[in-house]
């Protein structure tokens, strides 16, 4: 804060000087310093909050967390989509057991389009076709049970 106060005083002082290119450039420089000082202070204050909210989970706990989330019968289509967005934000291909729960949740709320998006997300996250085919193979019973279609079957 002392730096910002000092810079604001310099700005006031520069405002009363005769205007020429040098003064204008100095004024712009000081303004950018004030903005950057404020921005850096804001970011450095927000970073510890993110670290405190971050939780480390084992692979099994991660799977259980998402199976419980999608298994919740009170979820609506917006909550399911939000959960899928959070799930696919991780740097991994979700396990088929998690995806099976997500597909069942979509069926509960009759959201067919989201089931197609799930398969598109898996295809996008998969490093190769073998991984995608493995996940689809593991989900084949769920796909048949729920009467779902893959994006390839729909022409996507």
């Amino acid at each position: 804060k002392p730096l910002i106060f000092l810079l604001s005083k310099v700005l006031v002082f520069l405002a009363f000087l005769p205007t020429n290119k040098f003064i204008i450039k100095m004024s712009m420089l000081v303004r950018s310093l004030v903005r950057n000082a404020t921005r850096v202070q804001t970011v450095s204050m927000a970073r510890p909050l993110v670290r405190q909210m971050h939780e480390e989970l084992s692979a099994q706990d991660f799977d259980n967390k998402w199976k419980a989330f999608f298994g919740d019968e009170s979820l609506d289509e917006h909550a399911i989509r939000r959960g899928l967005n959070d799930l696919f934000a991780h740097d991994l291909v979700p396990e088929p057991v998690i995806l099976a729960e997500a597909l069942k949740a979509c069926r509960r709320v009759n959201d067919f389009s989201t089931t197609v998006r799930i398969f598109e997300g898996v295809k996008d996250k998969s490093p190769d076709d073998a991984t995608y085919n493995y996940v689809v193979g593991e989900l084949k019973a769920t796909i048949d049970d729920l009467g779902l279609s893959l994006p390839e079957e729909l022409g996507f």
Side-chain angles (χ1 to χ4, degrees):
K1 287 197 175 200
L3 176 66
I4 295 172
F5 179 74
L6 176 66
L7 291 174
S8 66
K9 292 298 180 185
V10 170
L11 275 177
V12 170
F13 174 74
L14 290 175
F16 291 108
L17 292 176
T19 58
N20 62 30
K21 288 184 180 180
F22 177 74
I23 300 296
I24 291 172
K25 286 185 180 181
M26 289 302 295
S27 169
M28 290 171 58
L29 176 66
V30 170
R31 284 187 188 136
S32 71
L33 288 173
V34 169
R35 284 190 197 119
N36 289 340
T38 306
R39 188 176 306 135
V40 169
Q41 184 180 14
T42 304
V43 170
S44 66
M45 288 174 57
R47 187 168 285 155
L49 295 176
V50 173
R51 287 184 187 147
Q52 290 173 359
M53 293 179 355
H54 180 70
E55 55 183 309
E56 294 291 329
L57 295 175
S58 68
Q60 186 63 37
D61 290 340
F62 181 83
D63 292 352
N64 291 338
K65 171 188 166 183
W66 286 107
K67 285 193 300 188
F69 178 82
F70 291 118
D72 184 2
E73 305 241 346
S74 67
L75 292 178
D76 63 351
E77 59 196 34
H78 299 290
I80 293 170
R81 288 181 184 171
R82 188 195 75 233
L84 286 168
N85 190 32
D86 292 345
L87 176 63
F88 280 108
H90 293 279
D91 189 25
L92 51 82
V93 178
E95 288 291 324
V97 291
I98 298 172
L99 296 173
E101 287 296 324
L103 292 169
K104 291 174 188 174
C106 290
R107 175 50 92 188
R108 268 196 314 269
V109 296
N110 291 324
D111 191 1
F112 178 75
S113 63
T114 302
T115 62
V116 175
R117 298 285 184 244
I118 289 172
F119 290 113
E120 289 176 340
V122 170
K123 190 168 200 162
D124 185 52
K125 284 291 203 171
S126 297
D128 52 19
D129 289 337
T131 305
Y132 176 72
N133 293 333
Y134 166 76
V135 172
V136 170
E138 291 291 313
L139 292 172
K140 193 65 176 160
T142 304
I143 293 168
D144 294 339
D145 186 40
L146 299 176
L148 302 176
S149 299
L150 295 174
E152 298 82 23
E153 298 169 352
L154 300 172
F156 292 118

